[in-house]
Amino acid sequence: MISPDELDKYMQQCAEQDYFSGVVLITQGSSQLFAGAYGYASRSWKIPNTITTRFDTASVTKLFTAVATLQLIDQGVLAFDTLVIDFLGLQDTAISHAVNVFHLLTHTSGIADDAEEESGELYADVWKTRSNYAVIETADFLPQFAYKPANFAPGQGCRYCNCSFVLLGQLIEKISGLPYRDYVRQHIFAPAGMLHSDFFRMDEVNEDVAEGCDPLRDEQGDIVIWKKNIYSYPPIGSPDGGAHATASDLDRFLRKVKAGALLPPQSTAAFFTPQVLQRGYEAWDEMYGYGRYGYALCFAVDDAGKVLFAEKEGMNAGTSAVIRHYPDHDINVILLANIERGVWEPVRKIHRMIMAG
């Protein structure tokens, strides 16, 4: 199982080599197995991260969008088979009229993304030709993807798509009458007891919020300069990414969802159930097994069809995050970093510890 001393030593080494800057939290039920903070929340001022530092959670935010969508479905004001384009009045776009809510939740819509990351495009490159400060509200994202040709017909494939969650955010806004961020604050953060979570603008001063930056290295691996991420994506979070949270708040969120505090029993069970095969993970590997998507969650499933863990991860310039639940052990693993790619090797290390028993 988890060896706190071994894991702390490993994380210290990662931080000293500037491959990790952030926090690690591991819980089992109501018990804390490990908590540690490493690196700097502000590298400019050498202010260290703490376990209560708030981090940009990148695409982990999609979990909040998924739960919000399921809440509206449970209220009967939305359905999995609701046709999205007609509902939103987006008939003049290139998005297929056959795209429904289930497709968006499970990455099976086939719609184009603003950055086709599976084809090697970088999200940060979107903002080389468009001002990131021009994209604040959910509808502001539409010109970046709505008129691009689809990758496949709805339901005929599976391809990770950030902008499918932008459309879900628009549905949430139209049905609830609330801006997306206000809906999440009122119906996700508040009932889950996520007292330290919010959507913080990058151009405002906020307490205990980590600043994102990445080391640029030369061919020998030596750091040449640290580059901030302020021009790499919009200045405030949206339905597909960018909410801020502490590790404890994310742990609390996942446990509240599983306990039925945010969704009724049927939807709670569905949220923790694989729905479709995840494109690109048809073969076994240490981290993912046979990967399947749920409603934003990704599931590692072994040869016998057993779920090893459910997770959501995210990454942008200057930030990376993963939240993972091991159902057989009732263990949650949360890693938040204010450095790109910081969480991947540590989460593999932790996985091996857990699976070793």
Side-chain angles (χ1 to χ4, degrees):
M1 194 58 78
I2 300 299
S3 168
D5 290 342
E6 179 186 350
L7 183 55
D8 181 62
K9 181 179 179 181
Y10 169 80
M11 296 308 305
Q12 291 281 5
Q13 291 172 343
C14 291
E16 288 168 3
Q17 297 170 11
D18 291 315
Y19 287 107
F20 183 80
S21 174
V23 297
V24 182
L25 177 66
I26 305 173
T27 66
Q28 186 170 39
S30 59
S31 300
Q32 181 176 286
L33 301 183
F34 183 87
Y38 309 87
Y40 295 107
S42 172
R43 190 162 294 273
S44 300
W45 297 99
K46 296 294 187 288
I47 298 172
N49 282 314
T50 71
I51 197 63
T52 58
T53 299
R54 298 183 283 194
F55 290 84
D56 180 341
T57 63
S59 284
V60 171
T61 306
K62 291 181 175 68
L63 295 179
F64 310 141
T65 305
V67 170
T69 303
L70 293 175
Q71 288 176 341
L72 297 176
I73 290 172
D74 288 323
Q75 293 170 25
V77 294
L78 192 64
F80 286 113
D81 61 358
T82 297
L83 297 178
V84 175
I85 301 311
D86 290 339
F87 195 96
L88 292 177
L90 298 176
Q91 292 88 347
D92 64 338
T93 67
I95 301 172
S96 169
H97 287 247
V99 170
N100 63 30
V101 171
F102 179 84
H103 295 142
L104 297 180
L105 282 168
T106 57
H107 299 289
T108 56
S109 70
I111 69 171
D113 220 344
D114 48 9
E116 296 290 354
E117 294 172 328
E118 288 201 17
S119 299
E121 294 181 3
L122 298 177
Y123 186 59
D125 288 346
V126 171
W127 315 107
K128 291 181 177 180
T129 55
R130 190 179 191 201
S131 170
N132 62 333
Y133 284 90
V135 181
I136 303 297
E137 304 304 330
T138 306
D140 294 338
F141 286 86
L142 284 172
Q144 297 168 195
F145 71 94
Y147 303 94
K148 296 169 66 175
N151 290 302
F152 52 83
Q156 299 303 305
C158 185
R159 182 183 177 100
Y160 191 87
C161 182
N162 289 294
C163 289
S164 65
F165 279 74
V166 171
L167 292 179
L168 289 172
Q170 287 195 273
L171 288 170
I172 292 165
E173 291 181 335
K174 183 169 183 177
I175 293 169
S176 69
L178 294 171
Y180 168 79
R181 291 182 281 268
D182 285 345
Y183 183 96
V184 171
R185 289 177 182 120
Q186 295 177 28
H187 298 278
I188 307 294
F189 291 166
M194 300 171 67
L195 302 179
H196 307 288
S197 299
D198 209 333
F199 295 85
F200 298 116
R201 287 185 62 110
M202 297 170 72
D203 58 353
E204 294 178 354
V205 175
N206 297 285
E207 285 187 36
D208 298 327
V209 174
E211 299 175 354
C213 58
D214 292 308
L216 301 185
R217 300 175 185 267
D218 60 21
E219 294 181 356
Q220 289 71 44
D222 296 324
I223 297 174
V224 177
I225 193 173
W226 284 88
K227 183 178 177 63
K228 291 186 176 181
N229 63 355
I230 57 174
Y231 299 117
S232 299
Y233 48 95
I236 190 168
S238 55
D240 65 327
H244 291 80
T246 63
S248 294
D249 270 3
L250 289 180
D251 177 63
R252 190 173 295 109
F253 164 77
L254 205 55
R255 295 198 180 279
K256 287 289 187 179
V257 175
K258 193 160 190 182
L262 298 179
L263 296 168
Q266 184 174 355
S267 292
T268 298
F271 183 72
F272 287 99
T273 300
Q275 302 293 329
V276 299
L277 181 67
Q278 181 182 1
R279 182 180 180 274
Y281 287 110
E282 290 85 355
W284 171 266
D285 70 32
E286 179 188 55
M287 277 190 71
Y288 291 103
Y290 290 100
R292 287 173 170 80
Y293 280 127
Y295 303 133
L297 281 172
C298 175
F299 295 83
V301 182
D302 67 14
D303 292 318
K306 178 181 178 181
V307 173
L308 301 179
F309 60 79
E311 77 164 20
K312 184 69 190 85
E313 45 72 33
M315 180 180 70
N316 271 325
T319 183
S320 54
V322 63
I323 177 172
R324 181 179 289 186
H325 177 70
Y326 290 82
D328 282 357
H329 306 277
D330 193 23
I331 287 178
N332 284 351
V333 176
I334 297 98
L335 291 98
L336 300 174
N338 55 331
I339 185 172
E340 188 177 12
R341 305 183 185 278
V343 302
W344 312 126
E345 288 306 317
V347 80
R348 286 182 170 89
K349 172 76 170 179
I350 295 167
H351 175 75
R352 288 192 287 269
M353 285 183 167
I354 292 172
M355 299 310 291

